[in-house]
Amino acid sequence: MRVHLITVFFVEDSAEDRALYRRFLDRDDRYTYEIYEFESGKEALEVCQWKTPDVILLDYRLPDMDGLEFLHELQRQTQGSHTSVMMLTGQGDETIAVQAIKSGAQDYLVKGKLTADNLRRAVHGASKHKQLMRQLKQQQEQQKLVGAIALHIRQSLKLQDILTTSVKEVCQLLKADRVLVYQFTPQMLGKVVAESVLPQWTPILGFEIEDTCFQQNRRGKICTVANIYEADLSDCHIQLLERFQVKANLVVPILLESKGTPELELWGLFIVHQCSSPRQWQTFEVELLNQLTVQFAIAIQQGELYHKLETLIPS
């Protein structure tokens, strides 16, 4: 069963060669492909400004530039995209292949020795390389955000400012439709106390929500829902999510240390909503929210201590 989609650019002036590459990939029983074909380097570079492929099959000898010139220009205009480029060279062009690798190509293939198996194997490897580079970048951005929030907590005693900044940054980093912090009350109610939401979706900041639909979160467990209609949710929970236009959500509890007991107290929930479509949540996304809820717990307890000190000091 083929489910993973790989976007591939053929940058090759030979229509015959492009047809051959397409036939080879069409026979792949592991992946499906979205293929774009270009006869010149300039044409491909223009499309790369708005469409980022997973893999580029690049002929070294193009009518308007050579492959090394293409690589240099691609790196200049798409910094950080991590597109994997495989150079296609003629037999006896090992020197060119070495230069291509030094210039940023992921791999090279010799046209005269090209087979369906080695092309597919190379494309699979190049696609995995891009995924690893993307994950590395996400991890770096994640640690940078967690560090920034931790610094903000040390520099500020204003919990609301910390929560507002955090939901905004997470919304941008995860490209989510809505990110919010929901605080429980001792009664069966809770309130949205911080929110970042895209303009096309309904804001719910300050909205009070009856707690009966969140009983599973009262146990302090992480909840990931890729599609609300395919998850084991109660009817009232689905109706509530529909009211907020939610198709998928990720919920992580915010837990505080409770005095006199080793058990943790549930203060609230850190929630990410996808409203436009279902969404398969990634491990790094769950880990990011986990790390941030630890920082929130520090900020909450720090803010509560500051408030108590204020009440003890006469004005």
Side-chain angles (χ1 to χ4, degrees):
M1 183 178 179
R2 298 183 298 177
V3 292
H4 185 67
L5 178 68
I6 300 176
T7 301
V8 183
F9 282 11
F10 296 163
V11 188
E12 166 69 73
D13 61 325
S14 168
E16 182 179 341
D17 286 348
R18 294 198 306 272
L20 178 65
Y21 308 153
R22 183 180 285 272
R23 284 199 303 274
F24 284 167
L25 295 185
D26 283 344
R27 296 171 186 168
D28 192 344
D29 59 2
R30 291 181 57 190
Y31 300 99
T32 56
Y33 295 90
E34 181 182 29
I35 297 173
Y36 294 78
E37 299 185 17
F38 306 95
E39 294 185 355
S40 70
K42 181 180 179 182
E43 184 183 6
L45 287 167
E46 287 176 354
V47 175
C48 283
Q49 294 180 21
W50 58 268
K51 178 74 174 179
T52 304
D54 296 305
V55 181
I56 296 178
L57 292 181
L58 174 64
D59 185 17
Y60 175 73
R61 303 188 185 280
L62 297 170
D64 57 341
M65 64 181 70
D66 66 38
L68 298 180
E69 291 172 326
F70 180 95
L71 278 169
H72 293 150
E73 181 59 25
L74 178 68
Q75 291 178 345
R76 187 193 67 79
Q77 74 177 38
T78 60
Q79 294 181 6
S81 67
H82 303 300
T83 294
S84 294
V85 179
M86 292 189 300
M87 188 76 79
L88 296 163
T89 65
Q91 287 182 291
D93 286 336
E94 287 79 6
T95 302
I96 292 173
V98 171
Q99 290 179 304
I101 299 297
K102 289 182 178 179
S103 298
Q106 171 67 22
D107 202 350
Y108 76 95
L109 296 168
V110 178
K111 283 189 174 185
K113 299 179 180 179
L114 193 62
T115 66
D117 285 342
N118 64 26
L119 176 61
R120 289 196 291 262
R121 194 182 306 114
V123 171
H124 296 169
S127 177
K128 289 179 181 178
H129 176 262
K130 182 181 178 179
Q131 291 175 26
L132 290 172
M133 294 302 294
R134 185 189 294 126
Q135 290 172 4
L136 177 60
K137 182 181 178 182
Q138 289 169 340
Q139 290 171 357
Q140 291 172 339
E141 290 175 341
Q142 171 183 323
Q143 292 307 315
K144 182 178 178 181
L145 176 56
V146 172
I149 297 299
L151 178 61
H152 190 34
I153 289 171
R154 289 195 294 271
Q155 295 176 338
S156 173
L157 295 173
K158 296 180 179 179
L159 175 62
Q160 189 59 50
D161 288 352
I162 293 168
L163 296 180
T164 300
T165 299
S166 299
V167 295
K168 180 180 178 181
E169 293 290 340
V170 172
C171 196
Q172 292 175 348
L173 178 60
L174 300 188
K175 296 180 174 58
D177 293 326
R178 183 191 291 118
V179 176
L180 61 93
V181 175
Y182 173 87
Q183 182 180 0
F184 287 111
T185 65
Q187 298 75 31
M188 295 293 284
L189 288 175
K191 186 177 182 179
V192 178
V193 295
E195 179 191 35
S196 178
V197 59
L198 297 185
Q200 61 267 41
W201 309 112
T202 303
I204 56 175
L205 181 64
F207 199 94
E208 291 189 350
I209 304 170
E210 191 172 352
D211 185 27
T212 53
C213 291
F214 291 116
Q215 290 304 315
Q216 71 271 34
N217 296 116
R218 270 293 190 184
R219 295 195 293 267
K221 293 184 178 181
I222 295 171
C223 178
T224 58
V225 176
N227 186 328
I228 66 170
Y229 300 110
E230 297 177 358
D232 186 21
L233 302 179
S234 65
D235 290 341
C236 79
H237 198 167
I238 292 175
Q239 290 169 10
L240 177 67
L241 293 172
E242 286 178 334
R243 185 178 177 184
F244 300 151
Q245 306 162 299
V246 178
K247 298 286 194 307
N249 71 349
L250 167 59
V251 183
V252 177
I254 301 171
L255 302 168
L256 305 183
E257 291 183 358
S258 183
K259 291 183 179 179
T261 173
E263 295 184 2
L264 295 175
E265 174 189 351
L266 182 62
W267 180 91
L269 305 172
F270 195 17
I271 303 174
V272 183
H273 285 164
Q274 199 67 26
C275 302
S276 56
S277 64
R279 174 168 175 167
Q280 195 67 45
W281 302 103
Q282 305 299 311
T283 303
F284 94 91
E285 295 169 331
V286 178
E287 180 59 28
L288 170 61
L289 265 64
N290 248 332
Q291 292 186 51
L292 287 177
T293 56
V294 172
Q295 298 299 325
F296 290 168
I298 294 171
I300 292 164
Q301 291 171 326
Q302 181 176 280
E304 289 177 350
L305 177 60
Y306 178 70
H307 178 70
K308 289 178 181 178
L309 290 173
E310 272 192 321
T311 60
L312 292 173
I313 299 174
S315 55

